[in-house]
Amino acid sequence: MKKTVASLLSLAMASTVLLGSAAGVYSDSQVKKADALYSLSLFQGSDKGYELEAGLDRSQSVALLLRMLGAEAAAENGEYSHPFTDVPKWADKYIAYAYENGYVEGYSD
């Protein structure tokens, strides 16, 4: 129960930070929320900082989901596969784990 509540609160914080940053101007509150997510190892940003204006792409969303579920280590250490050809190298293990566990499905053209 505690883990579910913590995950929901983290998701709410992430949504507030990322949706509120669409205009590219960050309030102190948004930065504090990003800092809090960072301190929980849920949100990592990039080599350029948080890049809140960029929003989340599919791979980043899956990585965030796996972190909230506590499955990041399992994804990084496992031997999973996926059929997708457009996955960035850094996200390959996350997407493979998510695919093998039914979190992502994809579709054919």
Side-chain angles (χ1 to χ4, degrees):
M1 179 70 173
K2 278 184 170 182
K3 192 171 188 176
T4 302
V5 172
S7 293
L8 290 174
L9 289 173
S10 296
L11 182 59
M13 285 174 51
S15 297
T16 301
V17 169
L18 298 170
L19 294 175
S21 65
V25 178
Y26 317 114
S27 68
D28 288 339
S29 175
Q30 288 171 310
V31 172
K32 286 179 184 176
K33 289 174 184 175
D35 287 341
L37 291 170
Y38 180 83
S39 72
L40 294 170
S41 298
L42 296 175
F43 180 66
Q44 296 178 351
S46 74
D47 59 346
K48 298 175 186 172
Y50 289 150
E51 293 189 272
L52 298 176
E53 69 282 353
L56 289 175
D57 64 24
R58 291 177 296 179
S59 297
Q60 293 165 332
S61 297
V62 169
L64 179 61
L65 172 67
L66 296 184
R67 289 178 191 130
M68 288 191 303
L69 293 173
E72 183 176 29
E76 290 177 344
N77 297 321
E79 295 295 326
Y80 305 98
S81 63
H82 64 80
F84 311 119
T85 59
D86 63 341
V87 176
K89 186 163 181 66
W90 71 265
D92 194 56
K93 288 191 171 226
Y94 295 96
I95 300 299
Y97 179 89
Y99 179 76
E100 292 282 338
N101 286 281
Y103 298 131
V104 298
E105 294 180 357
Y107 57 88
S108 301
D109 288 337

